[in-house]
């Protein structure tokens, strides 16, 4: 086989059915070979950053590895933001890049970039493949590393002439990576100690993160919570790990999480953190967080345990393996006084109440979308105010339903992420909820919706600002608004230019009917919601504050 044939056959053996890519000179041998592999669908993006985001959205929606492809030099470096997005959120993305011929490596050849060096710190592992016979093993190993343990991106870089050379094709049925043996079972002694702490606790709480979703441990989490009577809160990326309609569900915590979730985390005497990083966005100021609490931390990545907080019981392992064993060992309990305290806090501080207003409040738009879709849609967001409102006011029934950039906070993720999610789950109703700022970063990918006939519904929350930055400048910089007011094109006309139906929604009374029209439309559609310009996201933990210092909307804002 040629190297190009080996690449595509190897990817096909790894279950790859879709590649999001953009051609260029050094990868033309690969594109020339693509028609020989009809089982692999190639989707032509309009920018390589979007290819990485599409692969990311595909992976998050499906639970399978997403694959993107870029040429050398700027094609490869354009993938970097998307690769880093998947790195920060532990998403299994396989990035394939071409490079200049071997004779030009290190000589500043045209469109040469040391992409393996550039991505060294944002991939689980990467490969520069110098001989065609090395391709099958490199791809086999890379895919294994990508999907196992704590998932994450990998990159395989192949010079042009390696694609063209021929060699014997030897597919490795078994691989043995001596330096890579993720611990998945969990130490029995540590699990026993964790069960003892849970039995002794009066105010326990579970914080469930993205790792619960990636390990498919939702049922095990539910079993533990119900058996031990433990309230459950999630991180933002953990939304969907626990059904939000369950009596033990208390929303998500953090900078814009529920007031009562933040207070519960700060008042608990035991926290069981599962598949989450205890990061600053979720936990507030580390030095002021719940000083007397004991922590049980369950995570497949030992580097995360004890990184930000001292841990009473560390358990390295997959949540899917650890949680059932933990549930077997804990005693049945109810913790009614503790739950009543949280319920009272929720009653006194109803974070999700939407005030009556003639204005088109963004919270009302999200809640109406939830009601019209019966909570069944897949929601993909960008980053900013609209992201927080989508997390707060759409109530999620299942994992992989909310897809968003968390750790890196990548504006522009929304549209390409939704495209990847729609490709992965073609029968699902998929909404891209966008800010007017982030949408302008990747709006060219509307062409992909038309080319591929993808029925993604685009909802732009248009307030004419970089809304989250404006909120910070208003609250913490004495209302000194600098470089946050944004002009934009007429989004409805822009959609029409791409051949997409567009609707401008200007009043509250039009919201429900516009959503119904979008849902009835068979193809892609864009809704431009002219939301209230100065609406802020509440509750809020100011930067550098503790969870106990969560603030709510001031009275003057509630009166608007």
């Amino acid at each position: 086989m040629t190297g190009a044939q080996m690449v595509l056959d190897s990817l096909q053996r790894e279950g790859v059915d879709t590649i999001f890519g953009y051609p260029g000179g050094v990868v033309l041998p690969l594109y020339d070979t693509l028609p020989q592999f009809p089982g692999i669908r190639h989707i032509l993006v309009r920018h390589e950053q979007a290819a990485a985001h599409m692969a990311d959205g595909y992976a998050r929606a499906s639970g399978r590895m997403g694959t993107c492809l870029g040429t050398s030099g700027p094609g490869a470096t354009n993938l970097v933001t998307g690769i880093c997005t998947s790195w920060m959120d532990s998403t299994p993305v396989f990035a394939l890049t071409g490079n200049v011929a071997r004779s030009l490596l290190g000589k500043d050849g045209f469109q040469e970039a040391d992409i393996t060096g550039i991505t060294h710190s944002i991939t689980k592992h990467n490969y520069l493949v110098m001989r065609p016979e090395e391709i099958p093993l490199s791809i086999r190993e890379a895919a294994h590393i990508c999907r196992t343990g704590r998932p994450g991106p990998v990159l395989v870089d192949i010079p042009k002439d390696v694609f063209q050379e021929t060699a014997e094709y030897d597919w490795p049925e078994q691989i043995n990576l001596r330096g890579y043996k993720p611990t998945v079972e969990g130490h029995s002694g540590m699990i026993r100690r964790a069960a003892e702490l849970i039995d002794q606790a009066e105010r326990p709480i579970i914080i469930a993160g993205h790792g619960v979703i990636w390990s498919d441990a939702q049922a095990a989490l539910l079993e533990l919570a119900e058996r031990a009577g433990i309230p459950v809160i999630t991180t933002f990326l953990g939304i969907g790990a626990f059904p939000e309609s369950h009596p033990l569900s208390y929303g998500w915590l953090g900078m814009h999480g529920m007031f009562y979730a933040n207070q519960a985390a700060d008042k608990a005497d035991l926290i069981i953190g599962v598949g989450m990083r205890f990061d600053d966005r979720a936990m507030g100021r580390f030095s002021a967080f719940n000083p007397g609490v004991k922590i049980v931390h369950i995570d497949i990545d030992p580097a995360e345990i004890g990184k930000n907080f001292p841990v009473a019981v560390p358990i390295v392992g997959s949540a899917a393996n650890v949680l059932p064993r933990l549930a077997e060992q804990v005693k049945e309990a109810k913790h009614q006084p503790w739950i009543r305290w949280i319920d009272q806090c929720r009653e006194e501080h109803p974070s999700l109440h939407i005030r009556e207003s003639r204005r088109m409040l963004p919270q009302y738009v999200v809640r109406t979308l939830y009601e019209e879709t019966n909570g069944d849609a897949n929601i993909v967001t960008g980053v900013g105010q609209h992201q927080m409102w989508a997390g707060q006011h759409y109530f999620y029934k299942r994992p992989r339903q909310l897809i968003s950039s968390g750790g890196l906070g990548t504006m522009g993720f929304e549209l390409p992420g939704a495209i990847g999610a729609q490709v992965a789950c073609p029968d699902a109703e998929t909404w891209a909820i966008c800010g007017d700022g982030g949408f302008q970063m990747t709006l060219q990918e509307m062409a992909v919706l038309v080319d591929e006939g993808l029925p993604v519904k685009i909802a732009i929350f248009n307030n004419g600002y970089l809304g989250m930055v404006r909120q910070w400048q208003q609250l913490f910089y004495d209302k000194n608004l600098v470089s946050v007011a944004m002009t934009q094109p007429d989004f409805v006309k822009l959609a029409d230019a791409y051949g997409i139906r567009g609707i401008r929604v200007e009043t509250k009374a039009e919201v429900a009917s516009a959503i119904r029209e979008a849902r009835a439309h068979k193809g892609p559609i864009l809704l431009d919601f002219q939301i209230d310009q100065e609406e802020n996201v509440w509750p809020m933990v100011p930067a550098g504050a503790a969870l106990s210092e969560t603030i709510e909307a001031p009275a003057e804002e509630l009166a608007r």
Side-chain angles (χ1 to χ4, degrees):
M1 285 187 176
T2 65
Q5 288 172 321
M6 292 185 193
V7 167
L8 294 171
D9 189 84
S10 297
L11 290 175
Q12 196 164 256
R13 287 172 182 261
E14 289 295 339
V16 173
D17 58 12
T18 305
I19 296 175
F20 303 94
Y22 199 95
V26 302
V27 291
L28 286 182
L30 195 66
Y31 277 85
D32 189 53
T33 308
L34 260 173
Q36 300 175 26
F37 294 84
I40 296 179
R41 176 186 185 184
H42 180 270
I43 292 180
L44 177 63
V45 303
R46 297 305 187 266
H47 191 283
E48 290 91 351
Q49 177 183 339
H53 290 330
M54 290 179 197
D56 192 328
Y58 177 100
R60 295 195 207 210
S62 67
R64 304 190 300 272
M65 183 176 72
T67 306
C68 57
L69 168 62
T71 191
S72 62
T77 58
N78 282 344
L79 291 172
V80 168
T81 296
I83 292 171
C84 193
T85 299
S86 62
W87 168 254
M88 291 291 284
D89 290 348
S90 304
T91 308
V93 168
F94 190 112
L96 178 65
T97 56
N99 215 323
V100 298
R102 286 169 290 186
S103 61
L104 293 174
L105 286 173
K107 298 181 180 179
D108 296 330
F110 176 65
Q111 290 194 331
E112 180 188 2
D114 177 16
I115 193 61
T116 54
I118 290 168
T119 61
H120 175 75
S121 64
I122 56 169
T123 53
K124 286 186 73 176
H125 196 58
N126 61 32
Y127 294 78
L128 174 60
V129 183
M130 296 295 283
R131 296 187 302 162
E133 56 267 31
E134 296 172 354
I135 288 173
L137 182 60
S138 298
I139 289 179
R140 183 86 166 87
E141 289 182 354
H144 175 71
I145 292 170
C146 181
R147 292 185 293 222
T148 56
R150 179 181 182 175
V154 295
L155 181 138
V156 175
D157 189 40
I158 303 176
K160 179 180 180 179
D161 52 332
V162 176
F163 285 127
Q164 295 170 312
E165 283 190 2
T166 60
E168 289 295 321
Y169 180 64
D170 183 16
W171 176 253
E173 295 295 339
Q174 302 292 329
I175 55 173
N176 182 25
L177 296 170
R178 289 182 297 172
Y180 179 73
K181 304 289 185 185
T183 300
V184 297
E185 292 300 329
H187 189 278
S188 57
M190 292 298 178
I191 294 173
R192 184 172 59 254
R193 286 178 57 192
E196 291 170 354
L197 283 184
I198 291 171
D199 292 341
Q200 296 165 8
E202 296 181 355
R203 302 185 306 280
I205 199 157
I206 294 171
I207 303 178
H210 208 192
V212 175
I213 295 173
W214 277 116
S215 61
D216 291 322
Q218 305 83 236
L221 174 64
L222 181 63
E223 179 187 10
L224 173 63
E226 290 183 337
R227 178 174 175 81
I230 305 176
V232 178
I233 56 180
T234 73
T235 63
F236 181 76
L237 288 184
I239 291 174
F242 195 78
E244 294 195 307
S245 60
H246 195 280
L248 289 172
S249 174
Y250 288 90
W252 48 280
L253 84 168
M255 181 168 283
H256 291 292
M258 278 75 262
F259 183 96
Y260 41 88
N262 287 350
Q263 298 304 316
D266 193 68
K267 299 297 187 294
D269 62 0
L270 178 68
I271 289 176
I272 304 102
V274 189
M276 50 87 68
R277 299 186 290 119
F278 287 97
D279 66 289
D280 59 300
R281 192 78 170 191
M283 309 311 295
R285 187 170 74 250
F286 292 157
S287 62
F289 176 73
N290 197 342
V293 72
K294 294 179 180 178
I295 295 176
V296 173
H297 193 176
I298 302 167
D299 202 287
I300 201 164
D301 184 355
E304 292 296 344
I305 297 179
K307 186 173 76 174
N308 293 328
F309 293 100
V311 174
V313 180
I315 304 177
V316 180
S318 166
N321 294 331
V322 172
L323 290 177
R325 295 167 60 195
L326 185 57
E328 289 175 357
Q329 297 188 40
V330 297
K331 297 176 181 177
E332 292 190 23
K334 297 295 184 184
H335 299 107
Q336 290 298 335
W338 170 227
I339 290 174
R340 280 197 297 271
W341 184 90
I342 304 175
D343 286 339
Q344 183 178 350
C345 186
R346 179 165 57 182
E347 185 176 331
E348 294 172 354
H349 303 274
S351 301
L352 301 182
H353 173 72
I354 301 174
R355 70 185 185 276
E356 286 296 325
S357 175
R358 287 178 294 179
R359 302 168 182 263
M360 192 196 302
L361 299 180
Q363 303 95 315
Y364 174 81
V365 176
V366 175
R367 188 70 61 85
T368 304
L369 178 62
Y370 166 75
E371 292 168 353
E372 291 294 330
T373 60
N374 195 32
D376 288 326
N378 286 345
I379 305 296
V380 186
T381 82
V383 170
Q385 289 180 312
H386 68 281
Q387 177 189 32
M388 298 296 101
W389 288 315
Q392 290 175 337
H393 295 283
Y394 199 101
F395 304 119
Y396 299 89
K397 299 178 178 180
R398 61 183 186 274
R400 308 192 182 284
Q401 201 179 350
L402 175 64
I403 296 171
S404 190
S405 169
L408 193 61
T410 308
M411 293 175 66
F413 177 85
E414 50 267 70
L415 178 56
I419 289 172
Q422 186 75 78
V423 171
C425 303
D427 296 329
E429 180 178 348
T430 303
W431 284 78
I433 297 184
C434 316
D436 52 321
F439 181 68
Q440 293 185 74
M441 293 185 173
T442 52
L443 58 80
Q444 73 279 348
E445 304 307 320
M446 284 195 288
V448 177
L449 295 178
V450 176
D451 286 353
E452 300 294 330
L454 301 172
V456 172
K457 317 303 180 187
I458 302 169
I460 300 176
F461 281 30
N462 188 348
N463 58 11
Y465 282 108
L466 293 173
M468 188 62 83
V469 182
R470 179 205 54 76
Q471 177 170 338
W472 279 53
Q473 288 181 340
Q474 174 189 332
L475 297 177
F476 309 119
Y477 292 88
D478 199 26
K479 299 183 180 180
N480 185 24
L481 305 186
V482 179
S483 298
V484 287
M486 296 194 76
T487 59
Q488 63 255 132
D490 183 322
F491 290 123
V492 172
K493 289 183 178 179
L494 186 65
D496 183 65
Y498 276 98
I500 293 174
R501 172 105 167 89
I503 302 173
R504 184 173 291 103
V505 188
E506 297 179 301
T507 67
K508 179 180 178 180
E510 299 172 307
V511 171
S513 60
I515 291 171
R516 291 186 197 119
E517 185 173 347
R519 298 188 70 219
H521 187 71
K522 298 300 181 184
I525 191 168
L526 181 148
L527 304 183
D528 181 9
F529 289 102
Q530 307 283 306
I531 63 169
D532 184 75
Q533 282 196 304
E534 297 182 355
E535 187 69 12
N536 289 327
V537 183
W538 304 101
M540 183 177 187
V541 180
L547 291 186
S548 60
E549 298 168 328
T550 303
I551 56 178
E552 299 179 280
E556 58 269 23
E557 288 208 23
L558 294 176
R560 289 177 60 245

